[in-house]
Amino acid sequence: MSNKLPVIDFSAASGDAASRAAFHEALHGAARDVGFFHLTGHGITESETAELMRTLRAFFALPEAERLSISNLNSPHFRGYTRIGDERTGGSRDWRDQIDIGAERAARIPTGDEPGYWWLEGPNQWPAALPELRTAALRWIDRLSEVAGRLLHELLASIGAPAGFYDDAFADRPHLHLKLVRYPGSAPDGAGQGVGAHKDYGFLTLLLQDEVGGLQVEGADGVFRDVPPLPGAFVINLGELLEVATNGYLKATNHRVVSPPGTRERYSVPFFYNPRLDARIEPVPFPHAHRAPGVTQDSSNPLFAEYGRNEVKGWLRAHPEVARRYHAGLLTEGIPVG
């Protein structure tokens, strides 16, 4: 893999038969061979993007007390602001701060034998000093949900699968997740981990990034290579559920962010397109299934067909302070919290 990801023009999906065939061939190859690609022609306008980034920067420019007023330590649902260095990936701290936002819903507190992953449903926290953040973030979730839904249909069609095979999994209460992220330059100790190497939990991630580089994707040879920003494009990557769905024919790919040098800041907005927490991901039928090598086996990161189990194990590991405060008794496939 070179340091240039494939570029897929989504507008070709609406073209004639020849354009669609070429689009599907390119999409199939990018998803199978790399698991990452740039998406252009997606319909999100420059003005929409600029407005979101303006609001994001305004939040991170607020005094620390205003940001901490919506600390995720206030939320058993892992919503809100995370201070620099408080999130963990691979056991090491990530040198970034962020807001985690989801679909705006009432708190779901599991009772009896209900799975612990229902804690992940709940209300967001919004800063009183910046009321426009709520409007901008929820509008972005709506807009990107529509793009991601169409993209998943086209991706499944590109491998010869029924395009709507997973519609039921997303039909009611999909677990949509948005992060607004700042990387504030290098850590004082010189560590370069903006966010450590990881795979995403769900189906698809649509990443908006600014002009500052830092994203790196792991190739088949185990080497991480830079992904230079492409203006106007989203970076798309496949999550673990698509690996489960295709028995490893499509793979979730490790990626990370290296901190920008010095005190230079980097901003990014990943959107995670995920099904209902209780959705079970059945294998998708497709003509290349006999070529599937199987799901990646990693004892430290087991993959589950029930989406919520994948999601909650990641949150418990990434946010140990929230886990200790609210979920000391919660176990997920033998992973203790506390």
Side-chain angles (χ1 to χ4, degrees):
M1 184 184 68
S2 72
N3 66 345
K4 293 184 179 179
L5 295 183
V7 179
I8 305 296
D9 182 358
F10 204 7
S11 66
S14 303
D16 58 23
S19 296
R20 278 186 58 78
F23 165 76
H24 280 153
E25 182 179 3
L27 181 59
H28 183 173
R32 179 195 62 218
D33 299 335
V34 186
F36 267 80
F37 54 91
H38 290 292
L39 187 73
T40 62
H42 40 69
I44 304 297
T45 67
E46 185 177 343
S47 62
E48 288 176 296
T49 298
E51 177 60 20
L52 180 72
M53 295 301 284
R54 184 200 67 77
T55 308
L56 176 156
R57 291 172 185 269
F59 172 78
F60 288 108
L62 291 174
E64 183 180 46
E66 295 287 354
R67 286 178 273 132
L68 288 175
S69 71
I70 60 166
S71 168
N72 68 347
L73 296 178
N74 303 329
S75 171
H77 315 292
F78 298 90
R79 303 290 178 85
Y81 174 69
T82 303
R83 293 179 305 176
I84 297 169
D86 277 3
E87 187 175 22
R88 300 289 190 273
T89 301
S92 298
R93 66 177 183 172
D94 296 324
W95 198 248
R96 63 178 184 173
D97 57 347
Q98 64 192 26
I99 319 170
D100 285 292
I101 300 166
E104 193 69 274
R105 295 188 179 129
R108 174 75 183 268
I109 300 175
T111 59
D113 294 332
E114 289 186 315
Y117 56 65
W118 287 118
W119 279 108
L120 299 179
E121 251 190 30
N124 295 300
Q125 299 189 78
W126 304 108
L130 192 69
E132 60 266 37
L133 179 65
R134 184 182 191 277
T135 300
L138 295 182
R139 181 187 297 128
W140 194 255
I141 288 175
D142 286 345
R143 292 287 283 128
L144 264 64
S145 293
E146 190 272 333
V147 174
R150 289 192 293 119
L151 181 58
L152 179 59
H153 275 208
E154 297 294 353
L155 177 56
L156 291 175
S158 78
I159 65 171
F165 188 79
Y166 292 113
D167 283 359
D168 286 347
F170 286 87
D172 180 46
R173 302 175 75 83
H175 191 70
L176 308 173
H177 175 212
L178 178 69
K179 281 181 179 285
L180 308 179
V181 185
R182 173 178 64 172
Y183 297 88
S186 300
D189 62 4
Q193 178 170 307
V195 60
H198 66 285
K199 300 175 182 179
D200 294 341
Y201 314 136
F203 270 80
L204 292 170
T205 302
L206 286 68
L207 172 70
L208 173 67
Q209 56 177 341
D210 66 9
E211 71 283 356
V212 179
L215 176 64
Q216 296 183 335
V217 174
E218 185 179 28
D221 57 2
V223 175
F224 282 87
R225 294 180 171 86
D226 293 332
V227 178
L230 180 65
F234 288 103
V235 177
I236 310 297
N237 67 278
L238 280 55
E240 292 174 334
L241 285 190
L242 273 172
E243 181 169 332
V244 170
T246 61
N247 195 31
Y249 183 77
L250 303 178
K251 274 193 165 50
T253 303
N254 270 322
H255 53 288
R256 67 189 185 189
V257 174
V258 177
S259 294
T263 59
R264 189 177 190 188
E265 293 185 333
R266 175 183 185 265
Y267 295 92
S268 69
V269 185
F271 169 75
F272 305 92
Y273 187 61
N274 305 321
R276 298 187 323 272
L277 286 168
D278 61 347
R280 291 193 63 82
I281 306 306
E282 301 296 334
V284 63
F286 66 110
H288 309 287
H290 64 285
R291 297 167 52 193
V295 174
T296 301
Q297 299 300 314
D298 181 352
S299 60
S300 67
N301 184 40
L303 300 184
F304 305 114
E306 190 173 16
Y307 168 62
R309 297 175 73 191
N310 272 334
E311 180 81 0
V312 75
K313 69 177 168 65
W315 283 101
L316 296 173
R317 289 169 165 174
H319 295 276
E321 291 187 55
V322 178
R324 283 192 292 268
R325 178 171 292 195
Y326 298 105
H327 306 301
L330 187 61
L331 299 176
T332 302
E333 282 300 302
I335 301 171
V337 184

